[in-house]
Amino acid sequence: MRRSKLQAFRNEIDLSDRAQVRILKKRLGVSDAEFSDIVGRIGNSIAAISKEVTTQKACPSPKVAELPSAAVIASVSTDDPTQIGTSEQAP
């Protein structure tokens, strides 16, 4: 008696299959954390995951600029006219 072979969905990734996950992460060039974050938000559709990765790589999220520490800000004297951003005007 012939048994029919189970056909895997071609457009969905089986997250329990470590080989599929490893191959897809390598093909997309993402880390474990990025992949799990995307799958958590999007789902297991390969097309949706690929689209999200290309979108993220096309326009990366802006990084927060590092601000000087409070000690550096407090150490700046407002009496010094050479400091940038002073309110004094030259005659």
Side-chain angles (χ1 to χ4, degrees):
M1 182 174 238
R2 267 182 82 164
R3 286 190 202 176
S4 63
K5 193 174 180 183
L6 286 174
Q7 290 289 336
F9 290 106
R10 292 174 55 163
N11 60 347
E12 292 181 357
I13 185 168
D14 183 11
L15 297 173
S16 62
D17 187 359
R18 295 170 69 185
Q20 282 186 17
V21 172
R22 179 178 43 86
I23 290 168
L24 187 62
K25 285 190 307 186
K26 185 176 179 180
R27 187 179 85 188
L28 297 174
V30 294
S31 67
D32 291 333
E34 291 171 331
F35 185 77
S36 62
D37 179 49
I38 291 171
V39 169
R41 285 185 292 123
I42 304 294
N44 64 346
S45 169
I46 295 174
I49 293 170
S50 299
K51 183 177 179 181
E52 181 66 21
V53 168
T54 55
T55 303
Q56 285 182 356
K57 287 184 178 180
C59 68
S61 60
K63 295 186 178 184
V64 178
E66 292 185 25
L67 297 176
S69 66
V72 172
I73 295 172
S75 68
V76 174
S77 172
T78 57
D79 297 334
D80 188 5
T82 60
Q83 294 293 326
I84 298 174
T86 58
S87 60
E88 298 178 22
Q89 295 180 355

